[in-house]
């Protein structure tokens, strides 16, 4: 685990404008920088970076945060991957926290396997480009497939020599251990002690993780040996799990997220040819049956998958089974088939970009229309086959988690199949009931097995998402404004005035006003503490508690940075930080000559107004609850007394706010 000191060093060193500048073209906009959103297609800039606050905000998608948050959103790194990326960029040596000897051994072993795999990729690529055998056999093959030099370089394609142990000898000569050559599968160690290269005489396709690390390889044989497998993959290892990786995901992830769609093909060359044709949101299951883990990998980037099938009917029928798995994950599925005899590779190779895009758009069908058309051709006029087909269709629909979506598909299926919607709904209900029963049984078994392990909801919304899904009340608005003031001006010190009643020596009431210097966070906290106020909105309460705690914990009285806020609240905090500066995107400040009075110049009035407003709204809410308790033909004297006492108070607050009470008591 990376030490906190190292993480702090990364945050202190990394400059958000430099990190984002590697991915987005930024232009000056006052004290900020602006550019086109990297998360959506747009013509007018809605993306803003604040070098002063070290944060960014994309107003088109609502995303925002610090440099780490950008890498996690844009590059789809995990938190540790983002930290390591920044450490490498700024030449920061990361310290690891204390680990057990077993942890260290496992970590060192995995890292050694990664290093061996990266060395192999460079070796195979160099062999392809700089040896006679590589040029004559490997490079010629890729050129025949229509791949350009840039494409070959982009995907790190290579060639493994025909020699029995050429790679192994080279790796051992570079001090890589035979143990890791064996564990990664590059070298096969025989019982007699001899070792041979697994991939000899093959062109090599490196398989990368989402963050770009080489996990394994696919190797294609070029000879005529009918006994040898055409494609050979790296064996399963601690770093390579075939069912959990998609070929091309590293190069496709940005395009998938930006275009909100993923094209799913079968083979390596399909992916490469599509990328070369300009369709970069394409990945492959690498010749294996599609798995839930692979689908979830896509789900991190988009909810939409378009499955591209070869034109032959047998291939279509076999491949279409994966659609049910995609539906189970709550994804939206479309299907596109190519003409007979064509596959994605061959079709993309001979079709100009614009025509290819048009073909995909015109021929991508909803899964139910596609599946119905395909299976109806097989059923023909056979009633028994047609009945089986209908059940097959309803089974697919039953996999969809969303109930409304299921109902819509049932209606569509009834129309296509010319069958009663009621019959389909009844069949669907039976299947769903069975699935629920099976799931319940499975859950009970898992609970018995894991009785002591806490269960967490994988789809639990973050506080930021909860806030966006809730309608804000006027009370929420005041709580949000208080948190906003704390975040932006909590460290500011100014002169605040308090007034209270004092009796002189003759017992006469006298209004006393006192002024004293204090910081904004102290003013807010003491008033809310005095009134025993609890925030009603959980998101605002969480951020308020964090900021108050941090304010008193800080040894130096400085402004908050986004890094002072916990990760799950950073998106909302960024939105508050950048809210006032959204107008800068249009260049408004350059077109106007009207001086703007900044909030920090009136912070005393602003904070006191917020506290009064919060009191007013809470008291108003309390009076409303008292009124609701008044019963006709009953003794309401005690409640009426409380209402009148509270009205006296709220009227005084109303006067200070310049607000008129509008509620009438019809009691």
């Amino acid at each position: 685990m990376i030490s906190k000191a190292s993480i702090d060093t990364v945050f202190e060193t990394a400059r958000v404008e430099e990190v984002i500048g590697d991915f987005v073209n930024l232009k000056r906009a006052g004290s900020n920088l602006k550019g086109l959103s990297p998360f959506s297609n747009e013509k007018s800039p809605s993306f803003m970076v604040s070098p002063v606050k070290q944060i960014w905000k994309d107003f088109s998608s609502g995303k925002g945060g610090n440099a780490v948050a950008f890498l996690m959103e844009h590059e789809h790194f995990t938190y540790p991957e983002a930290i390591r990326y920044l450490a490498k960029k700024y030449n920061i040596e990361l310290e690891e926290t204390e680990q057990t000897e077993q942890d260290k051994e496992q970590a060192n072993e995995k890292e050694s396997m990664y290093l061996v795999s990266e060395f192999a990729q460079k070796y195979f690529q160099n062999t392809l480009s700089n040896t006679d055998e590589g040029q004559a056999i490997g490079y010629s093959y890729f050129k025949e497939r229509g791949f350009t030099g840039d494409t070959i370089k982009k995907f790190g394609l290579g060639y493994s020599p025909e020699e029995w142990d050429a790679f192994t000898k080279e790796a051992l000569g570079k001090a890589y251990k035979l143990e890791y050559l064996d564990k990664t599968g590059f070298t096969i160690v025989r019982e007699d002690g001899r070792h041979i290269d697994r991939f000899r005489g093959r062109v090599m396709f490196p398989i990368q993780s989402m963050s770009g690390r080489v996990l394994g390889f696919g190797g294609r044989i070029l000879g005529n040996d009918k006994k040898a497998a055409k494609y050979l993959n790296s064996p399963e290892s601690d770093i390579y799990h075939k069912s959990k990786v998609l070929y091309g995901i590293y190069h496709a992830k940005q395009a998938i997220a930006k275009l909100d769609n993923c094209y799913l093909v079968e083979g390596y060359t399909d992916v490469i040819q599509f990328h070369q044709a300009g369709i970069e949101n394409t990945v492959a299951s690498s010749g294996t049956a599609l798995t839930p883990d692979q689908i979830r990998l896509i789900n991190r980037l988009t909810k939409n998958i378009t499955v591209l099938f070869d034109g032959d009917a047998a291939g279509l029928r076999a491949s279409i089974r994966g659609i049910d798995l995609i539906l189970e994950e709550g994804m939206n599925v479309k299907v596109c088939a190519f003409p007979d005899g064509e596959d994605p590779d061959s079709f993309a190779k001979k079709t100009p970009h614009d025509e290819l895009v048009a073909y995909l758009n015109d021929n991508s069908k909803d899964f139910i229309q596609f599946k119905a058309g395909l299976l109806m051709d097989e059923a023909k006029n056979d009633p028994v086959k047609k009945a089986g087909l209908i059940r097959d269709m309803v089974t697919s629909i039953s996999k969809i988690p969303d109930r409304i979506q299921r109902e819509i598909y049932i209606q569509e299926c009834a129309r296509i199949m010319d069958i009663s919607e009621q019959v389909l709904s009844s069949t669907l209900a039976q299947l769903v009931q069975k699935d629920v029963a099976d799931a319940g049984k499975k859950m009970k078994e898992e609970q018995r097995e894991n009785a002591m392990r806490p269960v967490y909801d994988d789809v639990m919304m973050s506080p930021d998402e909860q806030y966006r899904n809730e309608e804000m009340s006027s009370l929420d608005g005041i709580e949000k404004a208080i948190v906003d003031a704390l975040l932006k001006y909590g460290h500011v010190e100014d002169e605040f005035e308090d007034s209270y009643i004092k009796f002189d020596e003759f017992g006469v009431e006298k209004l006393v006003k006192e002024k004293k210097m204090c910081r904004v966070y102290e003013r807010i906290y003491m008033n809310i503490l005095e009134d025993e106020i609890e925030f009603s909105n959980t998101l605002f309460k969480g951020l308020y508690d964090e900021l108050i705690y941090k304010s008193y914990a800080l040894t130096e009285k400085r402004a908050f940075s986004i890094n002072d806020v916990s990760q799950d609240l950073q998106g909302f905090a960024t939105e508050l930080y950048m809210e006032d500066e959204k107008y800068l995107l249009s260049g408004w400040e350059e077109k106007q000559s009207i001086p703007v009075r900044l909030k920090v110049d009136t912070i005393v009035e602003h904070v006191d107004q917020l506290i009064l407003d919060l009191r007013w709204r809470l008291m108003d809410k309390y009076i409303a609850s008292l009124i609701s308790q008044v019963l006709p033909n009953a003794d309401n004297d005690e409640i009426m007394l409380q209402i009148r006492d509270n009205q006296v108070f709220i009227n005084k607050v109303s006067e200070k706010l310049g607000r008129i009470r509008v509620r009438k008591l019809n009691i």
Side-chain angles (χ1 to χ4, degrees):
M1 186 181 292
I2 306 169
S3 70
K4 186 179 184 302
S6 289
I7 293 172
D8 290 342
T9 302
V10 168
F11 276 118
E12 289 165 8
T13 308
R15 300 293 302 171
V16 69
E17 66 273 23
E18 295 173 352
V19 175
I20 295 176
D22 291 341
F23 304 94
V24 181
N25 184 24
L26 299 171
K27 295 180 180 178
R28 180 64 58 183
S31 62
N32 298 318
L33 301 165
K34 65 181 180 181
L36 295 175
S37 168
F39 304 109
S40 60
N41 290 314
E42 62 180 16
K43 294 180 180 178
S44 299
S46 69
F47 186 85
M48 181 166 280
V49 178
S50 171
V52 175
K53 300 184 179 97
Q54 283 298 293
I55 56 175
W56 59 276
K57 177 69 179 176
D58 178 28
F59 291 98
S60 67
S61 66
K63 297 173 181 177
N66 54 19
V68 169
F70 179 82
L71 291 170
M72 291 174 71
E73 286 286 354
H74 192 266
E75 294 299 289
H76 304 282
F77 287 162
T78 61
Y79 184 81
E81 285 172 345
I83 294 294
R84 293 183 191 282
Y85 173 90
L86 291 173
K88 187 175 181 181
K89 178 179 174 66
Y90 289 97
N91 297 315
I92 298 169
E93 187 174 342
L94 295 177
E95 295 177 356
E96 302 288 332
T97 54
E98 193 61 36
Q99 297 172 302
T100 65
E101 288 303 316
Q102 186 179 1
D103 289 338
K104 288 179 182 177
E105 189 177 324
Q106 288 177 347
N108 290 338
E109 184 170 301
K110 279 186 90 171
E111 189 59 32
S112 297
M113 293 172 75
Y114 279 124
L115 292 174
V116 165
S117 298
E118 285 161 12
F119 166 75
Q121 191 273 320
K122 290 174 184 174
Y123 171 82
F124 295 137
Q125 191 172 29
N126 181 64
T127 302
L128 177 79
S129 303
N130 300 315
T131 68
D132 292 340
E133 183 183 346
Q135 284 276 323
I137 302 175
Y139 206 83
S140 296
Y141 169 78
F142 288 131
K143 282 294 185 180
E144 285 173 14
R145 298 303 300 244
F147 300 157
T148 65
D150 287 341
T151 297
I152 292 169
K153 186 176 179 181
K154 174 183 175 180
F155 283 90
L157 305 180
Y159 176 73
S160 179
E162 184 67 45
E163 232 178 289
W164 280 96
D165 61 351
F167 168 76
T168 303
K169 280 195 297 189
E170 183 72 15
L172 293 174
K174 297 287 185 181
Y176 289 98
K177 293 182 179 179
L178 183 62
E179 174 191 358
Y180 298 120
L181 298 176
D182 178 29
K183 285 184 175 179
T184 49
F186 293 112
T187 302
I188 299 172
V189 181
R190 291 182 168 179
E191 292 181 2
D192 60 6
R194 292 179 58 207
H195 36 73
I196 59 173
D197 293 348
R198 179 181 299 272
F199 294 107
R200 62 191 182 281
R202 294 176 183 264
V203 287
M204 302 297 290
F205 298 85
I207 300 167
Q208 295 171 283
S209 70
M210 192 173 275
S211 62
R213 300 208 80 170
V214 179
L215 306 174
F217 286 81
R220 187 192 192 282
I221 198 166
L222 300 180
N224 297 318
D225 186 355
K226 293 181 181 179
K227 294 181 181 179
K230 184 178 179 181
Y231 276 97
L232 184 65
N233 272 50
S234 293
E236 293 281 309
S237 70
D238 286 346
I239 64 170
Y240 178 60
H241 303 280
K242 188 161 57 175
S243 64
K244 295 184 179 182
V245 68
L246 289 161
Y247 182 72
I249 191 71
Y250 172 65
H251 297 292
K253 61 185 178 181
Q254 289 182 26
I256 293 170
K258 192 167 186 176
L259 298 172
D260 197 21
N261 183 45
C262 175
Y263 288 114
L264 182 64
V265 295
E266 188 178 346
Y268 305 126
T269 58
D270 296 328
V271 170
I272 297 170
Q273 201 68 257
F274 256 61
H275 275 253
Q276 185 167 282
I279 313 294
E280 295 189 339
N281 53 326
T282 309
V283 297
S285 55
S286 304
T288 65
L290 193 63
T291 68
D293 284 323
Q294 290 173 330
I295 297 166
R296 291 185 197 114
L297 203 58
I298 298 172
N299 203 4
R300 288 170 58 184
L301 307 169
T302 181
K303 284 283 185 185
N304 304 303
I305 295 182
T306 303
V307 184
L308 305 182
F309 292 140
D310 297 354
D312 63 289
L316 287 172
R317 192 70 181 85
S319 301
I320 207 167
R321 297 187 192 108
I323 285 179
D324 286 358
L325 283 175
I326 300 173
L327 293 172
E328 279 185 47
E329 295 298 323
M331 307 279 280
N332 304 315
V333 191
K334 286 189 175 181
V335 182
C336 180
F338 293 97
D340 285 344
E342 297 283 7
D343 57 30
D345 179 2
S346 63
F347 193 79
K349 184 178 178 180
K350 68 181 185 182
T351 308
H353 173 77
D354 291 346
E355 290 181 27
L356 179 58
V357 171
Y359 182 88
L360 293 172
N361 290 336
D362 294 342
N363 291 275
S364 293
K365 299 178 181 178
D366 188 270
F367 91 93
I368 200 163
Q369 295 173 333
F370 183 85
K371 193 169 183 178
L374 177 67
L375 300 183
M376 283 290 280
D377 285 343
E378 293 184 7
K380 301 294 183 185
N381 296 319
D382 187 328
V384 176
K385 283 188 176 180
K386 186 174 180 180
L389 159 64
I390 293 170
R391 177 168 285 276
D392 191 341
M393 297 291 293
V394 177
T395 300
S396 291
I397 295 171
S398 72
K399 304 297 182 185
I400 300 171
D402 186 88
R403 184 175 177 179
I404 295 173
Q405 210 171 351
R406 286 203 305 261
E407 292 297 324
I408 292 170
Y409 277 125
I410 283 292
Q411 293 170 9
E412 182 69 9
C413 188
R415 185 187 64 79
I416 294 171
M417 299 294 185
D418 191 24
I419 190 172
S420 163
E421 191 177 318
Q422 186 178 355
V423 172
L424 294 182
S425 295
S426 176
T427 306
L428 174 66
Q430 292 172 13
L431 290 170
V432 170
Q433 191 174 3
K434 182 179 181 298
D435 287 344
V436 169
D438 291 345
K441 186 179 177 182
K442 185 179 178 182
M443 186 181 294
K444 285 179 181 177
E445 290 173 358
E446 288 175 352
Q447 285 174 344
R448 279 197 298 270
E449 292 173 5
N450 307 292
M452 302 303 293
R453 188 171 64 190
V455 180
Y456 299 97
D457 186 355
D458 288 336
V459 296
M460 186 181 294
M461 287 192 294
S462 70
D464 189 55
E465 289 171 321
Q466 290 176 28
Y467 155 69
R468 297 182 194 285
N469 281 277
E470 293 171 3
E471 189 176 343
M472 276 187 60
S473 66
S474 59
L475 185 58
D476 287 338
I478 296 300
E479 292 179 357
K480 177 184 176 184
I482 290 172
V483 172
D484 178 75
L486 266 177
L487 191 64
K488 296 174 183 173
Y489 315 109
H491 67 293
V492 174
E493 189 174 34
D494 213 321
E495 192 175 51
F496 291 87
E497 183 180 89
D498 282 317
S499 59
Y500 57 92
I501 299 295
K502 186 178 181 181
F503 293 93
D504 63 15
E505 55 188 313
F506 304 106
V508 178
E509 272 189 15
K510 186 179 179 182
L511 181 64
V512 179
K513 294 185 178 181
E514 263 185 7
K515 289 188 175 182
K516 64 176 181 179
M517 297 294 291
C518 72
R519 298 196 182 271
V520 167
Y521 73 82
E522 294 170 327
R523 179 71 172 181
I524 291 174
Y525 177 66
M526 293 311 295
N527 275 274
I528 286 180
L529 188 67
E530 183 183 329
D531 292 341
E532 297 182 351
I533 294 171
E534 278 285 336
F535 276 41
S536 59
N537 185 294
T538 53
L539 172 62
F540 304 148
K541 183 182 186 304
L543 192 50
Y544 172 82
D545 291 343
E546 275 198 24
L547 294 174
I548 289 295
Y549 172 78
K550 192 75 175 181
S551 298
Y552 281 98
L554 283 173
T555 52
E556 74 279 25
K557 301 302 180 186
R558 60 168 175 79
F560 286 112
S561 76
I562 196 69
N563 300 326
D564 291 323
V565 181
S566 61
Q567 195 177 347
D568 61 342
L569 292 172
Q570 283 185 0
F572 173 62
T574 300
E575 187 169 308
L576 293 179
Y577 264 132
M578 302 296 278
E579 212 166 35
D580 296 340
E581 301 179 35
K582 186 176 181 179
Y583 71 90
L584 293 175
L585 288 166
S586 62
W588 182 89
E589 80 291 347
E590 297 169 6
K591 302 170 187 174
Q592 306 296 322
S593 57
I594 303 170
V596 179
R597 195 179 184 199
L598 300 176
K599 204 174 285 181
V600 69
D601 297 332
T602 58
I603 194 63
V604 171
E605 296 94 323
H606 179 61
V607 168
D608 284 347
Q609 179 98 357
L610 288 175
I611 293 168
L612 281 173
D613 206 344
L614 181 60
R615 285 174 180 159
W616 191 95
R617 294 184 188 281
L618 289 171
M619 192 58 62
D620 188 51
K621 190 176 179 182
Y622 180 57
I623 291 172
S625 71
L626 289 173
I627 292 171
S628 68
Q629 296 174 39
V630 175
L631 299 173
N633 305 318
D635 182 7
N636 297 306
D637 290 348
E638 188 177 339
I639 295 176
M640 291 299 296
L641 185 61
Q642 289 184 59
I643 291 172
R644 290 190 182 96
D645 287 345
N646 282 289
Q647 276 190 309
V648 172
F649 176 81
I650 201 171
N651 287 338
K652 287 181 180 179
V653 177
S654 296
E655 286 176 19
K656 291 182 179 180
L657 289 168
R659 183 173 292 163
I660 301 171
R661 287 281 298 137
V662 294
R663 177 176 283 124
K664 294 179 181 179
L665 302 181
N666 299 316
I667 301 170

